[in-house]
Amino acid sequence: MAKKRPQTKAAQAQVTNGEIPVVGAREPCPCGSGRRYKACHGRAAAHAVTELVQRPFEGLPGECDWVALRELVPAATVPLTLKDGLPEGVPSVTLATVLPMAWPALRRDDGSVLLALQNDSTSGDLARDLADTLLRALETEPGSPVTGRRVPADGPRLQDLLDPNSDFTPVVHTGFEFWIPESSENSNPEVTASLERANAAAIPTVKLTGVDSSYWCETPDKNHLRWVMPHPEEKLLDALARLHAAGTSSLGGNTRLVGSFRAHGLMVPVWDLPTSMSAEDCEKPAAEFAERLAAALATDAPLTPEERRSRGGLTNRQVTLS
């Protein structure tokens, strides 16, 4: 049997207040306890990093559109406004759904910043990951991408950096040409190849103008309307069940409410549409549905047996994206 190591008394902590720096998991903890970082202060930090934030975009202007751009929309951009204004040498900051080579962010030659939304999260808080990437992008040399990294557990979140009173209006693009500035004469071959692949895979998508956070998309077999809604899930399911049981949950002939996604703490009802129904054709039916939904949300009466069955069907057809 292997001999047990003699137990040694932990060294007296050398840091009694202030922040404990983040070091490698197997390195001695900077607090001076004599233990490895992962067994000391790193334990709480690791838990904070991995703890899932259910609604990472809550409190930001346009929360529903943040969710849509993260999960549903292939190509879109939104100008971002920082609380403290733009640093010197940074003419603009723009949120993008995705960037070439899956870069988390890019500092262009002119100093402007592109921040990618559709990237893997290294922690359980997307808002913290994106804030860390944004801060590093603001200090990156122009003409350079920003790489991913493990995010400190106590770092700022997007809610700490962005102006809460700013506008958030996505511009949906037909392709990813926004990656390459119009003034650019010599594009990177890798970026060009990535652009071609992304354009080939992008699903045509259009944002409706008459209702908030609703996106039409075209697929080979049928079209869809995917609508990110801010209402509490249980209340929204009740309202949709009332409309479904009453036969008023569709958007007109040959359309059907088929289920919903659950993404970043919000519900995204989905309708199947005929291939002949364009985004423009959805505008009036969607506005009329919004009125019916508002009335259903305002109803507090218990669900009828038929409404409960409709609710069960909607719940069974719910898919969690994140």
Side-chain angles (χ1 to χ4, degrees), residues 142-203:
S144 305
V146 177
T147 58
R149 74 166 186 177
R150 181 183 175 187
V151 176
D154 57 352
R157 308 178 72 236
L158 282 175
Q159 289 81 348
D160 301 318
L161 304 182
L162 301 183
D163 183 353
N165 300 314
S166 60
D167 185 38
F168 191 86
T169 304
V171 176
V172 178
H173 303 277
T174 57
F176 296 88
E177 282 73 18
F178 64 85
W179 287 351
I180 303 174
E182 294 181 3
S183 59
S184 178
E185 297 180 358
N186 299 314
S187 59
N188 185 315
E190 290 184 343
V191 172
T192 300
S194 183
L195 172 64
E196 292 175 354
R197 290 192 299 270
N199 280 345
I203 295 175

Side-chain angles (χ1 to χ4, degrees), residues 195-213:
L195 172 64
E196 292 175 354
R197 290 192 299 270
N199 280 345
I203 295 175
T205 301
V206 177
K207 187 180 189 300
L208 299 195
T209 60
V211 293
D212 293 334
S213 310

Side-chain angles (χ1 to χ4, degrees), residues 1 5 26 39 45 79 125 147 172:
M1 181 180 295
R5 292 184 177 179
R26 300 176 66 85
D125 186 356
T147 58
V172 178

Side-chain angles (χ1 to χ4, degrees), residues 95-150:
L95 182 73
T97 47
V98 68
L99 292 176
M101 275 76 79
W103 289 330
L106 172 66
R107 182 88 183 272
R108 283 178 161 165
D109 292 335
D110 66 353
S112 61
V113 168
L114 288 178
L115 175 67
L117 182 56
Q118 296 179 14
N119 276 318
D120 292 336
S121 175
T122 61
S123 75
D125 186 356
L126 261 173
R128 197 179 306 283
D129 292 345
L130 288 164
D132 180 79
T133 301
L134 174 56
L135 288 175
R136 290 188 291 125
L138 295 174
E139 298 178 349
T140 296
E141 287 295 320
S144 305
V146 177
T147 58
R149 74 166 186 177
R150 181 183 175 187

Side-chain angles (χ1 to χ4, degrees), residues 4 9-10 15 19 23-24 40 46 68 73 78 89 111 146 153 171 197 205-206 218 240 269 278:
K4 294 183 178 179
K9 187 177 181 180
V15 179
E19 294 185 358
V23 298
C40 193
V73 181
V78 189
V146 177
V171 176
R197 290 192 299 270
T205 301
V206 177
E218 179 183 16
L240 292 174
S278 67

